[in-house]
């Protein structure tokens, strides 16, 4: 059916057109809601565009938000290759951030590069362990990984709050409980020539590595066998549990790295600002990207841009800053609903003549 | 559907006469049905024969309303009718029994019968329903406990429930799609005999899709044969022979012959290659399906395992091919413990042909080439270090597709787009192209046409003759008698009888399959 270049082209066109169509539908629905609030939808969209992409400053804001989204989206997309639907990226992110903050604080007298590497490693390990836990519950105890990862996310946030507000609280942080700052020297700076922090670079590299891993390595092939049919994977003698766990751990490491970036490039310490919903928005990104690691990058930029424009809507149109979350939510629902359209639109069907 | 005239459970009214005229159905460029006309007279038992892909399923799907034809008429009871949906077909009294059961396992027989109605009321008045069911059952030729859970029924009983369901719903024209494929020969005969007696009393018309000539000869009144979407022949069963039917089905095409003789070294002194000792395997529900089973297979022999489905065959095969972990006991290959890890499979050159290949041995979303690489994607030449070599993968697929005549639109098409027979060919290519030391096969020809059957049998024999130890689990006794060197019967998770195939006695094996092995198990 999908053979030959024209078949593949048609498939790609379908994979592009359906999410774009769903996004357009979401814009219409959101526009109607805006009109109901007495705002001109076109003006709203113009402001979203200006807040997201119109100036160098808005681009910086957009890309800084896209960076953690890229990484948390990988926390969904990687386990998805193994057929697991993990939605607990938020938990991996906050624990990754906490671990990075602790390491950054503890390593006194170590050169900054060493501290940065140690923080990244600690963040990734913490995130990997957390999502691997959800994967292990699934593989060895049969617990639904979607539910367990979500609930583990709440536990992670509770653990995070406990340490940040309790044992690890910097006494100097009065209004906003935070861990001890990691120090300016240990902060991760900006990408050369850009005013965007290194998190974006990490995200891009992680996506590229994931893509190569899935498409071009034997591990990636085994992962797709496990995700496509675990029975066939067992017939082939593949260690199904270990392969799926590795995918969960890798995804968790991505989200944990996002937490490290938030600490080491943005906030300087672990505090409640980390719990910003990046983990959940990453689910949206992964779904729009249809779990494709390369497609995650542009989608994360788009979603990052929408959230970057929240402030603009608040200032200019007197809308609450959660308005953009409404747009995100509508988009997510319609993207999920559009999954049922695949293979049903005539123009994408191969002609059989 | 008027409620008074169509009260379920009351068997009245005569059998239906159904005729299709000029039926044509296209799927893009493929003409699945090409101007087919046939008539199934009221009260007849009509067999529809044909190879895989000949158009049998397409024809009955048109009749039952799942996919209306592109051209042609359906005449029911001498009036032209339009059947746009199964609902329309049901309203006319046309029903279908599918190859695989369409029953709810967690419900009782009675609940399944009532829930199958097109007009289940929002509140079911079970008292009156039960009275009606009891009255209905009294008129039926076979008895079933209405209160038993369907999940507790044997395959033959489930098939009877399916047939009862159609009768209860007052279907007067019954389409059956290979109804006996999951039954023992005795069960099959009983079910078909019942249907035939109902057609004789003109209560029912039967249109049965089948592959089995024996059933056609024994039960059918009339036969139609489809070949590549066209009507290739028809006639009264009594006027036809197996040979003429076979020729109608395949035309003048050559059927692979070359049956090789039985292995001479079977029963020799060679050490067994595959040994299973006191194996205990649980099914999904945690019940013991295999209960202390012991067997040994030597190089160069085929050990056939006969038995009625549901006696632990599936769990045994799954344990041997690595899809299920045994609870107790041991599996040894070449004297060493064997757990079907990837390394062990590679070292021992173990291969398998599980039943339902698309579900058990393939990744439906991956391409034919990728599926063919399942065994060796991590070894040279398909891999170099951790890197996949796509070119080598495509080259392997190209070669195997040609060798095994897999009909697909190239190696890049998803394997789920292939027909059942071609999926099995693709799996055969993967499993048998390289050297094989151990082969575990389960119902390897289930649902395939007989040219494909002969070819697959030849390939299994060739593997045996090359020195592999072959375990063949099948529900088809004829297949086992034809291929096996030794034959064992499985019943309730144990082997209850074993014999050299050359000395096999149906009069002993039959009762063993049914559990009466007291007398025979002295061996």
């Amino acid at each position: 059916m999908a053979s030959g270049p024209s078949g593949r082209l048609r498939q790609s066109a379908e994979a592009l057109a359906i999410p774009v169509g769903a996004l357009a539908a979401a814009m219409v629905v959101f526009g109607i809601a805006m009109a109901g609030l007495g705002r001109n939808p076109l003006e709203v969209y113009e402001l979203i565009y200006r807040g997201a992409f119109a100036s160098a400053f808005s681009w910086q804001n957009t890309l800084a938000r896209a960076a953690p989204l890229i990484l948390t989206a990988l926390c969904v997309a990687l386990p998805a290759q193994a057929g697991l639907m993990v939605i607990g990226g938020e938990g991996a992110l906050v624990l990754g951030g906490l671990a990075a903050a602790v390491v950054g604080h503890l390593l006194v007298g170590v050169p900054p590069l060493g501290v940065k590497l140690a923080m990244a490693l600690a963040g990734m390990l913490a995130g990997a362990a957390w999502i691997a836990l959800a994967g292990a519950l699934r593989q060895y105890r049969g617990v639904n990984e979607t539910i367990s990862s979500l609930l583990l996310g709440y536990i992670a946030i509770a653990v995070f709050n406990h340490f940040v507000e309790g044992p690890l609280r910097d006494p100097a942080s009065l209004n906003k409980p935070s861990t001890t700052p990691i120090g300016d020297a240990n902060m991760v700076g900006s990408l050369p020539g850009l005013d965007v922090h290194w998190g974006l670079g990490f995200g891009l590299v992680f996506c590229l590595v994931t893509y190569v891993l899935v498409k071009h390595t034997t591990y990636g092939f085994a992962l797709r066998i496990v995700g496509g049919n675990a029975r066939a994977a067992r017939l082939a003698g593949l260690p199904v549990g270990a392969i799926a766990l590795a995918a969960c751990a890798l995804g968790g490491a991505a989200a944990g790295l996002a937490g490290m970036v938030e600490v080491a490039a943005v906030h300087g310490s672990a505090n409640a600002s980390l719990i910003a919903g990046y983990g959940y928005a990453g689910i949206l990104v992964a779904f729009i990207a249809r779990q494709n690691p390369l497609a995650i990058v542009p989608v994360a930029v788009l979603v990052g841009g929408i959230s970057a424009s929240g402030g603009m809507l608040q200032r200019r149109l007197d809308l609450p800053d959660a308005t953009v979350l409404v747009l995100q939510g509508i988009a997510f629902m319609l993207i999920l609903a559009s999954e049922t359209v695949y293979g049903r639109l005539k123009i994408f069907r191969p002609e059989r003549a | 559907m008027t409620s008074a005239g169509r009260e379920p459970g009351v068997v009245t009214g005569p059998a239906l006469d159904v005729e299709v005229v000029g039926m044509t159905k296209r799927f893009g460029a493929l003409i699945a049905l090409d101007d087919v006309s046939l008539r199934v007279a009221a009260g007849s038992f009509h067999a529809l024969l044909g190879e895989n892909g000949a158009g049998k399923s397409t024809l009955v799907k048109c009749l039952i309303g799942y996919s209306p034809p592109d051209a042609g008429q359906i005449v029911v009871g001498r009036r032209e009718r339009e059947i746009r949906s199964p609902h329309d077909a049901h309203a006319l009294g046309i029903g279908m029994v599918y190859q695989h059961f369409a029953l709810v396992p967690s419900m009782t027989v009675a609940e399944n019968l009532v829930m199958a109605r097109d007009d289940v009321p929002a509140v079911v008045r079970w008292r009156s329903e039960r009275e009606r069911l009891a009255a209905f059952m009294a008129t039926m030729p076979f008895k079933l406990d209405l209160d038993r859970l369907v999940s507790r029924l044997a395959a033959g009983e489930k098939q009877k429930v399916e047939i009862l369901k159609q009768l209860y719903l007052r279907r007067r024209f019954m389409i059956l799609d290979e109804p006996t494929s999951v039954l023992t020969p005795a069960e099959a005969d009983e079910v078909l005999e019942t249907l035939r007696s109902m057609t004789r009393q003109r209560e029912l018309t039967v249109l049965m899709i089948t592959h089995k000539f024996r059933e056609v000869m024994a039960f059918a009144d009339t036969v139609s044969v489809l070949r590549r979407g066209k009507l290739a022949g028809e006639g009264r069963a009594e006027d036809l022979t197996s040979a003429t039917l076979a020729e109608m089905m395949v035309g003048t095409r050559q059927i692979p012959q070359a049956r090789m003789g039985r292995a001479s070294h079977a029963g020799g002194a060679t050490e067994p290659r595959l040994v299973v000792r006191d194996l205990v395997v649980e099914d999904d529900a945690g019940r013991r399906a295999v209960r202390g089973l012991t067997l040994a297979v030597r190089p160069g022999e085929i050990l056939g395992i006969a038995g009625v489905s549901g006696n632990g065959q599936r769990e045994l095969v799954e344990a041997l091919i690595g899809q299920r972990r045994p609870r107790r006991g041991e599996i040894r290959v070449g004297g060493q413990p064997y757990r079907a890890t990837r390394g062990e499979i590679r070292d021992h050159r173990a291969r398998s042909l599980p039943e339902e290949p698309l579900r058990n041995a393939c990744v439906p979303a991956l391409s034919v080439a990728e599926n063919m690489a399942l065994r060796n994607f991590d070894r040279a030449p398909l891999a170099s270090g951790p890197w996949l070599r796509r070119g080598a993968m495509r080259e392997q697929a190209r070669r195997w597709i040609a060798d095994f005549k897999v009909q697909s639109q190239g190696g890049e098409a998803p394997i789920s787009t292939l027909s059942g027979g071609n999926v099995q060919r693709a799996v055969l290519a993967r499993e048998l192209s390289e050297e094989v030391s151990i082969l575990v096969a389960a119902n390897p020809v289930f649902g395939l046409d007989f040219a494909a059957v002969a070819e697959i049998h030849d390939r299994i024999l060739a593997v045996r003759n090359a020195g592999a130890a072959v375990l063949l689990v099948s529900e088809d006794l004829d297949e086992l008698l034809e291929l096996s060197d030794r034959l064992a019967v499985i019943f309730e998770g144990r082997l209850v009888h074993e014999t050299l195939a050359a000395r096999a006695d149906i009069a002993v094996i039959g009762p063993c399959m049914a559990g009466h092995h007291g007398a025979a198990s002295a061996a």
Side-chain angles (χ1 to χ4, degrees), chain A residues 314-338:
Chain A
Q314 196 177 6
R315 270 177 277 126
R316 293 295 191 79
L317 293 178
D318 197 22
L319 287 163
D321 65 350
T323 308
V324 289
L325 293 181
V326 175
L327 176 56
Q328 281 185 17
I330 294 171
F332 193 29
M333 291 313 297
L334 286 168
I335 290 284
L336 284 181
S338 75

Side-chain angles (χ1 to χ4, degrees), chain A residues 81 91 93-94 202 214 249-250 290 319 342:
Chain A
Q81 309 295 326
L93 183 147
V94 298
F202 294 163
V214 170
L250 276 175
R290 303 212 79 210
L319 287 163
Y342 284 90

Side-chain angles (χ1 to χ4, degrees), chain B residues 148-195:
Chain B
R148 279 180 76 194
L149 286 177
V150 165
S151 58
R152 304 272 158 150
L153 298 180
E157 292 173 308
K158 285 183 195 165
Q159 194 64 280
K160 286 181 189 167
V161 177
E162 290 280 10
I163 289 166
L164 278 179
K165 192 165 89 183
Q166 299 300 322
L167 297 171
Y168 175 69
L169 297 172
R170 296 187 17 86
R171 307 275 158 77
R172 313 268 41 109
F173 184 90
M174 199 185 296
I175 303 166
L176 299 115
D177 187 359
E178 295 186 45
T180 61
S181 58
V182 290
L183 306 184
T184 62
E187 282 176 327
D189 285 356
E190 191 188 342
V191 167
L192 295 179
E193 184 57 53
T194 306
L195 288 171

Side-chain angles (χ1 to χ4, degrees), chain B residues 207-219:
Chain B
L207 174 62
M208 177 174 79
I209 294 181
T210 183
H211 283 307
K212 298 176 183 168
F213 291 167
R214 191 187 67 85
E215 292 174 356
V216 177
M217 294 305 171
F219 296 101

Side-chain angles (χ1 to χ4, degrees), chain A residues 1-3 8 11 212 214-219 221-222 224-225 228-229 231-232 234-238 352-353, chain B residues 28-29 318 321-323 340 342 345 352 358-360 362-363 366 370 374-375 377 383 386-388 390 409 430:
Chain A
M1 232 155 76
S3 63
R8 239 168 290 155
Q11 264 194 343
V212 171
V214 170
K215 295 283 177 189
H216 294 289
T217 68
T218 53
Y219 167 76
F221 192 68
R224 287 163 64 209
I225 295 172
N229 184 357
R231 295 179 69 83
R234 291 200 181 89
L235 174 107
L238 295 170
R352 312 194 197 217
Chain B
E318 286 177 346
I321 67 180
Q323 289 183 335
R342 197 160 175 85
I345 289 170
S352 44
L358 193 59
R359 174 170 172 267
N360 278 309
C362 295
V363 184
L366 293 187
E370 288 172 321
L374 225 58
R375 290 289 184 198
F377 70 86
W387 303 106
L388 285 180
R390 291 273 171 190
Q409 302 190 352
R430 178 182 81 205

Side-chain angles (χ1 to χ4, degrees), chain A residues 71 91-108 110-128 159-160 163-164 168 178-183 185-188 202 252-271 274:
Chain A
L71 290 166
L93 183 147
V94 298
L95 288 186
L98 183 66
V102 170
V103 167
H105 169 61
L106 288 180
L107 292 182
V108 182
V110 178
L113 183 65
V115 177
K116 289 172 196 173
L117 287 176
M119 284 194 295
L121 196 65
M124 290 198 285
L125 283 177
V159 168
F160 177 85
F163 280 106
V164 170
L168 296 178
S178 303
T179 58
T180 313
I182 57 171
N186 293 330
M187 291 290 281
V188 174
F202 294 163
L257 185 61
M260 176 270 181
V261 166
E262 287 300 291
V263 168
V266 182
H267 302 297
S269 66
N271 58 44
L274 261 67

